[in-house]
Amino acid sequence: MSIFRFPPLVWLGIGILIISLGIRQSFGIFMMPISEHFQTGREFFSFAIALQNLLFGIFQPFIGMASDKWGSKRIIIIGAIAYALGLALTSITIESSMLYVSLGALVGLGLSATSYVIILGAVAKVVPAEHAAKAFGLTTAAGSFGMFAIIPGAQTLLHDFNWQIAMQVFAMLCTLMVAFALFMKTAKPSSQTAAIEDTQTLTEALKEAFSHKGYWLIHAGFFVCGFHVMFIATHLPSYLADKHLPASSAAMALAYVGIFNIFGSYFWGVMGDKFNKRHVMSALYFVRTIVIGAFVTLPVTEHTAAIFGGAIGFCWLGTVPLTSGLVRQIFGARYLSTLYGLVFFTHQVGSFLGAWAGGRIYDYYGSYEPIWWSTVVLAFCAALIHLPINDKPVERLRLQTA
C-alpha cells in the first residue's frame, strides 16, 4: 500500500502529532526567558518539565484505556483542551509555583492524550495489519518533523514579542488539534474477525497480555529505548563540553538526531512490514550497540559528534513503529492504546532513570564513561531480548481467522 493511499485518519493523526510534539520539543528554548521572568533559577523550570514528562508516562495507560473504551476522537479533543488550558495558564500566571500545575500537570495530561499511543491506536484500527508498521513509521516521523515546523516559529515569537505571547499562540494552535480530531472517523468493523475481536473486554485483554511472556520482553526492550533516548538527549551536550567541543557541536549533533530520525522512523517501519518485526527490532538495537560503542571508543571531535548524531538519530525512534507493531500483531488492534500505553509507561521509567542515572554516575565517578558503556551493554541485551519473543497472534486471533 502506497503512503498516499492511507486513510484520511492517518494524515489527521500526523497533523495532530506535528502540533502536539512540536510544541513539546520547543519547551527548552523557554527555559531562560521564563527563569529570568520569575527570578527562580533554572532548576525550577527543569523540575516543571520533569514533572510534565513523569505525568505524561503515568497518565498514559489510563488515557489509553479510556481511548479504547470511548474512542480516540473524544480523548484527543479533551487532551487538546487540557493542553491549550495549560499553555494559556502558563502565559498569565504570576506565581511561579503555578507552572507545576499548568506546564507540568495540564500539559502532561494533554500530551498523553494527543501523542503516539492514542494516535497509533487509532491508526491501527483503519490500516491493514500487513501495512501497520509502515503507517506507524510514517506517523512516528511526524513527531520529529514537528520539531522543525514549530521551533523556528517559537524562536521568532520570542524574538519579536515575548514568551507569554508565544505560549498564547501555542494555546491557539491546539485548537487545530481539536479540528483535526473532529474529522477523525474510525472504520467500523466490516468483517467477522473484527466483530468477534470487539467482543473481548478490557479486563480479558489485560489478562491475556500479562500472561504472555513476549509482552514483558517488549516492556524490557522499550525500557532500554527510553533509557538511551533521555540519557543522550539530556547529557550529550555536557559530555561534548567535557571534551572541549564548542556548544555549536552539541546543537548540530542534536539537530542531526532530529533530521535523521524522520527518515529512520519510516525506514524501520517499512522494514517491519517486509521482515519479521522482532528480527528487525534486534537489528535496530545491534546498530545502536555498534554506533554508541564506536562513539565512546573513537576520539570525540566535532565530526564524530555530528556523525554520531545522524547515526543514532536514524535508529532513535524507529523502535516506536516496531514496538507498537509487535503489540498489534500479537494482540490485535482493539486494545492497542491500552496495551501500548502500558509499554510506553515502562519507556518513560527508562527515560527517567536514563536522565537521573547519567547525572548520578557522573557526580560519583567524575566521568560519563561508565554510563556510556552501560548504554552499550543495555543495547546489546535489548537486541537479544527480542529474539525469543513469540510474535505469532494469540490463539484468540488465530481461531478467528481459521
Side-chain angles (χ1 to χ4, degrees):
M1 176 185 286
S2 166
I3 61 173
F4 300 107
R5 296 179 62 187
F6 283 144
L9 184 144
V10 174
W11 299 104
L12 291 169
I14 286 173
I16 291 169
L17 281 178
I18 289 174
I19 297 171
S20 175
L21 298 179
I23 292 174
R24 178 204 181 196
Q25 291 163 336
S26 74
F27 288 142
I29 66 175
F30 288 88
M31 176 181 285
M32 291 298 292
I34 291 180
S35 298
E36 291 173 0
H37 176 83
F38 289 106
Q39 296 294 305
T40 53
R42 300 182 190 182
E43 183 182 358
F44 137 80
F45 182 84
S46 298
F47 184 77
I49 298 299
L51 179 64
Q52 176 194 108
N53 281 276
L54 182 61
L55 292 175
F56 181 7
I58 292 174
F59 286 139
Q60 196 65 87
F62 303 103
I63 294 293
M65 293 177 193
S67 177
D68 283 331
K69 185 173 183 179
W70 292 301
S72 56
K73 177 189 293 189
R74 296 178 184 178
I75 299 305
I76 293 170
I77 290 172
I78 293 172
I81 292 172
Y83 207 148
L85 183 60
L87 294 169
L89 287 177
T90 298
S91 73
I92 63 174
T93 185
I94 58 175
E95 293 289 337
S96 61
S97 58
M98 186 63 186
L99 264 65
Y100 295 142
V101 176
S102 60
L103 196 59
L106 285 172
V107 173
L109 175 62
L111 279 167
S112 68
T114 59
S115 58
Y116 290 127
V117 171
I118 305 303
I119 301 301
L120 294 181
V123 169
K125 294 178 174 65
V126 298
V127 174
E130 63 270 22
H131 299 294
K134 183 196 298 182
F136 290 170
L138 180 66
T139 308
T140 302
S144 290
F145 179 76
M147 181 187 302
F148 300 98
I150 302 294
I151 290 180
Q155 291 174 325
T156 300
L157 289 170
L158 284 174
H159 181 268
D160 294 344
F161 300 98
N162 54 45
W163 68 266
Q164 290 95 337
I165 294 295
M167 286 287 178
Q168 289 166 11
V169 171
F170 279 174
M172 290 186 286
L173 201 56
C174 288
T175 60
L176 280 178
M177 290 194 285
V178 175
F180 290 155
L182 289 173
F183 286 98
M184 294 178 73
K185 294 181 180 180
T186 303
K188 297 180 180 179
S190 57
S191 67
Q192 185 179 2
T193 298
I196 295 174
E197 184 181 340
D198 283 348
T199 65
Q200 186 188 39
T201 67
L202 176 59
T203 302
E204 290 170 346
L206 291 172
K207 288 181 179 179
E208 183 179 66
F210 291 158
S211 63
H212 195 288
K213 178 183 176 182
Y215 185 62
W216 294 108
L217 293 177
I218 291 171
H219 272 266
F222 220 33
F223 170 89
V224 174
C225 178
F227 191 96
H228 282 164
V229 167
M230 193 51 64
F231 165 70
I232 294 171
T234 304
H235 295 283
L236 180 62
S238 298
Y239 177 71
L240 296 180
D242 290 344
K243 299 295 183 179
H244 309 293
L245 297 186
S248 59
S249 65
M252 181 63 70
L254 292 176
Y256 282 158
V257 169
I259 293 170
F260 280 85
N261 181 46
I262 295 174
F263 303 104
S265 295
Y266 182 67
F267 169 81
W268 292 108
V270 171
M271 291 299 100
D273 277 341
K274 289 186 176 182
F275 305 103
N276 188 296
K277 290 182 181 61
R278 62 190 174 91
H279 292 160
V280 176
M281 185 75 89
S282 292
L284 187 154
Y285 279 108
F286 276 126
V287 171
R288 280 196 189 184
T289 304
I290 294 170
V291 169
I292 300 174
F295 180 60
V296 296
T297 301
L298 296 172
V300 179
T301 66
E302 291 188 49
H303 294 298
T304 58
I307 293 171
F308 172 72
I312 200 67
F314 190 72
C315 51
W316 189 250
L317 291 181
T319 55
V320 173
L322 294 174
T323 301
S324 53
L326 267 177
V327 175
R328 188 217 193 276
Q329 178 176 307
I330 297 171
F331 302 105
R334 176 68 180 88
Y335 291 105
L336 178 64
S337 292
T338 299
L339 299 181
Y340 180 54
L342 289 166
V343 176
F344 184 81
F345 171 70
T346 303
H347 179 280
Q348 291 300 91
V349 173
S351 296
F352 172 80
L353 290 176
W356 174 76
R360 179 73 173 177
I361 290 176
Y362 180 83
D363 287 345
Y364 185 84
Y365 290 101
S367 169
Y368 279 116
E369 296 300 321
I371 189 70
W372 272 116
W373 284 111
S374 296
T375 62
V376 174
V377 173
L378 284 172
F380 185 72
C381 290
L384 297 180
I385 280 172
H386 287 86
L387 292 176
I389 292 176
N390 179 5
D391 58 358
K392 294 180 180 178
V394 292
E395 186 178 1
R396 169 180 57 84
L397 296 178
R398 292 200 298 270
L399 290 174
Q400 291 169 12
T401 55

